Amino acid sequence: MALALVTFAGISAIIGYGLLGLGLDAHVPIALAAIFAGLVGRIVLGVKWKEMEEAVFSTISSSLGALLILIAIGMLVGSWVHAGVVPGMIYYGFNILSPGIFLLATLLLCAIVSLATGSSWGVGGTVGVALIGIAMGLGIPAPLAAGVIISGAYFGDKMSPLSDTTNIAPAVAGSNLFDHIRAMVWTTLPTLIIVAVITVVLGVKYAGNASDFDSSRILAMQSMLGAEFPISPLCAIPPLLVLVLAIMKFPALPSMMAGTFAASLMSLVNGHSLPEVLSAIHYGYSPTVTAEFAEAGDGVAALLAQHGLSMASETATEVGELLSGLLARGGIDSMMWSLSLITIALVLGGVMERCGYLEAMLTPLLLKVRKVGGLVSLVMVSSFISNVFLGDQYLAIVVPGRMFNSAVGRSGLSPRMLSRTLEDCGTMTAVLVPWTGCGAFQSSALGVPTLEYLPYCFLNILNPIVAAVLTYLGIGIYWGKDGEDKVEKRTDINFDFLRHDDEETSAATVQ
């Protein structure tokens, strides 16, 4: 137990120093941490390299389905942006903005855009910037507006099948994508409703400032989207197709391929050539009109006349920069960063699992758990601690996921209970920690310090609480193997089998 804690502290120090001290991406620090964990296992515990290698291969192979889905997501997003699907959803989403219910409209708009793009960062750095400016014009405090923007953005990020975290969680927990999303509805949708009520109540105070509502930037965004894409209600066809296939319980991979195919057909009908369509699927979408305005400099007026747009030159440049950043996404290549990070993190998880560090740290805690609510709370605490000490959202999902995977599987609970809980806390609380990438990015993009917007991130704060309460009440608990599980109002759980664990890996367990 002591050696396991020391090793985990060393791993945290290596990753924390790499991320926070040196400002590196997570890849190399995680790889160095895996090497450190492996050396301790080999030198101190005597675990053979062949055994660690087999454990790593097993861990990665169990997640290959999710890694393939991430590639499919890159293809899907590239084709959806190119066909005008994502721009159309953003365009129509702007129509719900109303000064009388600005906070509620902001929450819903950010949720829609994030669902469409699978990126909370994309929302914060684009639509969020515009909404912050409008909020200040209405007299709404920037921290409050930022908190509502982040709440909406993280609802979409968490629930969108296009989001990397939504795919990583079921990958490490052993569930599948659409079952994972269905499970999250139990905890996330009630939380969104609560937050919507809060925004309505808070918004009453500022409803009298409707005369100060400046929609010029929103109208400019819609105009520029219309200049670059053929916006129409037909943009709903690919998402509806994927939704219908999900409801019919088709596997995620063929469902996403169907969505990609539908969007590609739309692009061809819109006049794009086959090489252009395939290029978007491979490399992602490259903005045209919006990029021209972003880079035009003194030539903005001529571009406005060329495209028949009417707006101030400064607004055109600003909107062009925002939209080109939002739309330049998708493609297989765009997923390589996430794929490599997940693979390296799985290597670390496999080494820690084979050397027995995870079992040594968890067993004493799990033996005291007697309710599913207690297990859920323990997973959430582990995810939050990972966010605080490891400083990375992905690690807050992968590390606790690998820690609890085996015990949850043997307890009779469905794997989607673990994947849901990892997102309920790991995904949601990352943006509340100033030194994580999420917290630092949103603070920089929205111009509000993390600790100032934190009290107003209602969804991020309430979601873990709602999840724990519902589980203690026996609501939305899935029992059974993946694919055969069902909801039961059964809250008792027992991990006494850990006392008599005679599996082969127990030989390497740290005492």
Side-chain angles (χ1 to χ4, degrees), residues 73-332:
I73 288 172
M75 300 170 67
L76 185 76
V77 173
S79 66
W80 279 20
V81 177
H82 191 259
V85 174
V86 171
M89 295 175 71
I90 297 171
Y91 181 96
Y92 290 114
F94 280 134
N95 290 338
I96 69 174
L97 277 180
S98 169
I101 53 168
F102 180 79
L103 290 177
L104 174 62
T106 294
L107 175 73
L108 298 178
L109 174 61
C110 291
I112 291 171
V113 176
S114 188
L115 278 169
T117 62
S119 172
S120 57
W121 288 32
V123 173
T126 56
V127 177
V129 174
L131 292 173
I132 279 284
I134 296 172
M136 294 175 67
L138 291 172
I140 299 174
L144 171 58
V148 174
I149 289 166
I150 290 170
S151 293
Y154 272 79
F155 172 83
D157 193 318
K158 185 185 180 195
M159 300 299 292
S160 174
L162 309 182
S163 169
D164 45 9
T165 57
T166 310
N167 284 271
I168 293 172
V172 299
S175 60
N176 70 72
L177 175 61
F178 288 142
D179 281 351
H180 167 62
I181 293 175
R182 292 187 193 99
M184 290 196 295
V185 171
W186 284 92
T187 58
T188 312
L189 187 58
T191 309
L192 180 68
I193 294 172
I194 294 171
V195 175
V197 172
I198 292 173
T199 58
V200 170
V201 172
L202 291 176
V204 170
K205 178 179 178 181
Y206 305 101
N209 299 338
S211 59
D212 297 327
F213 183 70
D214 179 11
S215 60
S216 60
R217 190 182 298 185
I218 300 301
L219 293 174
M221 286 186 175
Q222 288 183 311
S223 297
M224 203 167 289
L225 286 171
E228 184 157 347
F229 300 95
I231 304 295
S232 79
L234 294 177
C235 70
I237 291 177
L240 286 175
L241 175 61
V242 174
L243 178 62
V244 169
L245 292 175
I247 293 173
M248 296 173 65
K249 296 190 176 181
F250 271 68
L253 200 57
S255 298
M256 290 185 173
M257 289 296 95
T260 301
F261 181 73
S264 298
L265 283 180
M266 288 180 60
S267 290
L268 293 172
V269 171
N270 291 334
H272 293 287
S273 67
L274 182 60
E276 288 175 333
V277 173
L278 297 180
S279 179
I281 291 174
H282 186 177
Y283 302 106
Y285 179 73
S286 297
T288 55
V289 176
T290 53
E292 289 176 358
F293 278 101
E295 301 167 0
D298 295 333
V300 173
L303 275 177
L304 288 171
Q306 177 184 336
H307 293 287
L309 300 178
S310 178
M311 65 185 77
S313 296
E314 295 80 5
T315 301
T317 301
E318 180 183 3
V319 168
E321 292 174 350
L322 291 175
L323 290 179
S324 62
L326 179 62
L327 298 172
R329 62 181 60 250
I332 295 174

